[in-house]
Amino acid sequence: MTAQRYPTTWRRPPQILKDRRWRIAIQIGIVVYLFLAIGTVEVNWSRVYDGLERGQRFVMGFLQPDFTSRWRDISQGLVESLTMTLTSTVIGVAISVPIGIGAARNLAPRGVYYVCRAIIAVSRALQEVIIAIFFVAMFGFGPFAGFLTLSFATIGFIAKLVADDIEEIDEAQVEAVRATGASWAQLVNYAVQPQVMPRLIGLSLYRLDINFRESAVIGIVGAGGIGATLNTAIDRYEYDSAGAILLIIIGIVMIAEYSSSYLRKFLQ
């Protein structure tokens, strides 16, 4: 058996269009389309000029944040966001695991596979703000709508990646456990779970970061959290308080990022 040889020099990949005239025509068409598309954008330059002044005030407020004037509202919104983030991540991951197992082609029957994949597709098709508007309309303003929104989004995110990881596991371990006469539950516990669990922990920590950032976004549409406090501060032109809220969000995201990176390294 001869050893596989790898190329030592770079070779340009073959061109899709070999005719030079077609390539030039397509490039010219792209440039013309860009100019036409830019021309359709109606820019109100007076509004842009007024917006620059407001943007300058916002930047100055960001550079001189006020943590004291609205600290009661900020702390309440922060507690709501952290509560929504933690509970929605835990509930979402707990629901995602069985859905992810059911969405794995190599483990689930065909009927279960299609149902679970449909659930994942619906969850991933809708953006968090749209889901938040729907739940706010159903259950009213407040963190409960935000909790449901983040949980629903977590299901699609985690279940999709868990299912893909299960489909890519080492089949040798699965066959070894199956050869012992193990049941389906024992097969999942002893052959699938050890291979997928490190990845699941990393994805859960990553989703925790995402849920906190999304809690600041969905609060703008009334789903509670620090986003509602930020939206109120901006509506009242309290840019110094808005700057303080943004700094708090950035600080918490950075702490969560470093903590999750250390925890993933420790678990691996």
Side-chain angles (χ1 to χ4, degrees), residues 156-255:
F157 180 85
I158 298 293
K160 164 69 174 176
L161 297 177
V162 168
D164 292 343
D165 288 339
I166 293 176
E167 291 180 347
E168 296 175 359
I169 61 175
D170 185 8
E171 292 294 338
Q173 297 186 30
V174 177
E175 293 300 328
V177 175
R178 185 181 286 118
T180 63
S183 63
W184 184 86
Q186 291 173 331
L187 183 70
V188 173
N189 188 30
Y190 294 106
V192 177
Q193 181 263 342
Q195 300 186 60
V196 178
M197 183 57 69
R199 174 70 169 166
L200 176 61
I201 294 175
L203 291 174
S204 301
L205 295 174
Y206 180 52
R207 186 64 208 187
L208 188 69
D209 296 343
I210 296 176
N211 282 345
F212 180 76
R213 287 175 297 181
E214 291 296 334
S215 69
V217 176
I218 62 177
I220 297 177
V221 297
I226 194 67
T229 308
L230 176 63
N231 187 42
T232 301
I234 294 177
D235 290 341
R236 296 179 179 179
Y237 301 102
E238 297 175 352
Y239 296 124
D240 49 358
S241 297
I245 296 172
L246 291 177
L247 288 175
I248 292 174
I249 294 174
I250 294 173
I252 293 178
V253 170
M254 291 180 63
I255 293 173

Side-chain angles (χ1 to χ4, degrees), residues 88 122-136 145-158 206-207 209-223:
S88 63
V122 172
S123 177
R124 288 169 53 83
L126 301 176
Q127 212 273 339
E128 281 84 350
V129 174
I130 299 176
I131 303 172
I133 294 173
F134 175 74
F135 282 128
V136 167
F147 160 74
L148 294 177
T149 300
L150 297 178
S151 299
F152 185 78
T154 300
I155 292 172
F157 180 85
I158 298 293
Y206 180 52
R207 186 64 208 187
D209 296 343
I210 296 176
N211 282 345
F212 180 76
R213 287 175 297 181
E214 291 296 334
S215 69
V217 176
I218 62 177
I220 297 177
V221 297

Side-chain angles (χ1 to χ4, degrees), residues 102-122:
R105 191 187 299 270
N106 55 342
L107 284 182
R110 179 172 297 182
V112 177
Y113 169 80
Y114 285 124
V115 171
C116 292
R117 283 289 176 175
I119 295 174
I120 294 174
V122 172

